[in-house]
Amino acid sequence: MPPKKPVVKAGAKPKPKGATGASSGAKKPAAGAPAKATAAPAATAKEKPEEPKEIPEVKIVLKQLIDVLMNDTGDKIKESGKWPLVIDESDRVSTFLRYQDTNYLNAKNPGDMEPERIRMAIIGAIRFGKPVVLDMMDTHMFHAAADKFDVVQKGLLESVMTKDILVDQKYTSLVKDTDPDEYTDQSSAFRHGMVDGFRFILITSMASPSPELMQRMYVIRVQ
């Protein structure tokens, strides 16, 4: 009896010799061939940080103080639209202004920072057309002084700094009915010519006050 032939299922194709499964068709890199390098992203140049802007200063010697600060010769301070900040590490300016016709306030002196003392210093200087001097001595006292001014009226020191207190006679809000007639008498109090003489002067013996404060003021450095 002849041997039986193997039965081939319908639709099935015999695999060719040497086939090992489905072929992907992708070519494999030859052994030892270097891998293709991917392009590196373009390096971006680092931006240089902006250098802080130099704050302009007027450098003077003590004997020039009256002309530059008190008389404002050439109207430099007036034209700047700012109040002066005087930097004097020797404290000579502090001593000098204390004995001039000014309303002097020492930010480190508790008595000078009493609300009534501050109030009268402001309205007195506006009424009689003279400077208010706030001496911060050798410390960063501006914000502490602002808190003391706030006790008199919220935002008072800022109002002085921006000169807003001089607009529309806002300074009259500081006047009390119990104040002397020179402040309450409408016919004689706060004459326009006298009000124009009001100035605010900040003094410090620190070599480097805060840049934020210096930017807001006309800086005079006494050498």
Side-chain angles (χ1 to χ4, degrees):
M1 188 173 179
K4 292 182 180 180
K5 293 182 180 180
V7 179
V8 179
K9 293 183 180 179
K13 293 183 180 179
K15 291 181 181 180
K17 289 183 180 180
T20 57
S23 173
S24 63
K27 292 183 180 180
K28 293 183 179 179
K36 192 179 284 186
T38 55
T44 56
K46 288 185 178 179
E47 294 183 1
K48 292 183 179 179
E50 289 186 8
E51 295 182 1
K53 293 181 180 179
E54 186 177 353
I55 300 171
E57 296 181 1
V58 176
K59 295 181 173 65
I60 65 170
V61 294
L62 187 63
K63 66 181 181 180
Q64 296 175 293
L65 189 67
I66 292 178
D67 284 340
V68 175
L69 178 66
M70 305 303 288
N71 297 337
D72 190 18
T73 302
D75 290 334
K76 299 297 184 182
I77 298 174
K78 183 178 180 180
E79 290 174 359
S80 75
K82 302 176 180 180
W83 295 125
L85 166 64
V86 182
I87 301 172
D88 175 32
E89 297 177 61
S90 71
D91 287 332
R92 293 171 298 171
V93 172
S94 175
T95 303
F96 173 78
L97 291 178
R98 204 175 305 164
Y99 295 101
Q100 298 299 304
D101 186 19
T102 66
N103 286 353
Y104 175 88
L105 297 171
N106 185 328
K108 293 180 73 173
N109 184 334
D112 283 359
M113 291 293 99
E114 287 292 327
E116 191 64 9
R117 177 83 173 88
I118 293 171
R119 185 183 75 87
M120 291 305 298
I122 298 295
I123 63 172
I126 294 174
R127 166 65 178 83
F128 295 103
K130 58 184 182 178
V132 167
V133 177
L134 179 60
D135 191 349
M136 299 188 297
M137 306 294 285
D138 57 352
T139 53
H140 293 289
M141 293 294 294
F142 184 79
H143 294 296
D147 291 340
K148 298 295 184 181
F149 276 61
D150 278 350
V151 177
V152 179
Q153 188 177 89
K154 187 67 175 176
L156 177 58
L157 185 53
E158 183 64 17
S159 180
V160 172
M161 286 284 290
T162 60
K163 304 185 181 183
D164 185 59
I165 195 170
L166 302 175
V167 177
D168 297 330
Q169 296 186 325
K170 290 181 182 177
Y171 48 80
T172 57
S173 63
L174 297 174
V175 178
K176 296 180 179 179
D177 293 338
T178 54
D179 286 335
D181 290 345
E182 57 196 4
Y183 298 105
T184 58
D185 186 350
Q186 296 298 319
S187 63
S188 61
F190 301 106
R191 292 178 180 174
H192 184 69
M194 300 300 286
V195 172
D196 288 346
F198 171 78
R199 282 176 292 160
F200 179 68
I201 300 172
L202 205 57
I203 310 175
T204 180
S205 59
M206 297 185 68
S208 301
S210 74
E212 294 79 12
L213 183 60
M214 292 177 69
Q215 286 171 350
R216 298 186 65 186
M217 307 199 78
Y218 184 87
V219 181
I220 301 171
R221 188 179 295 272
V222 180
Q223 298 177 316

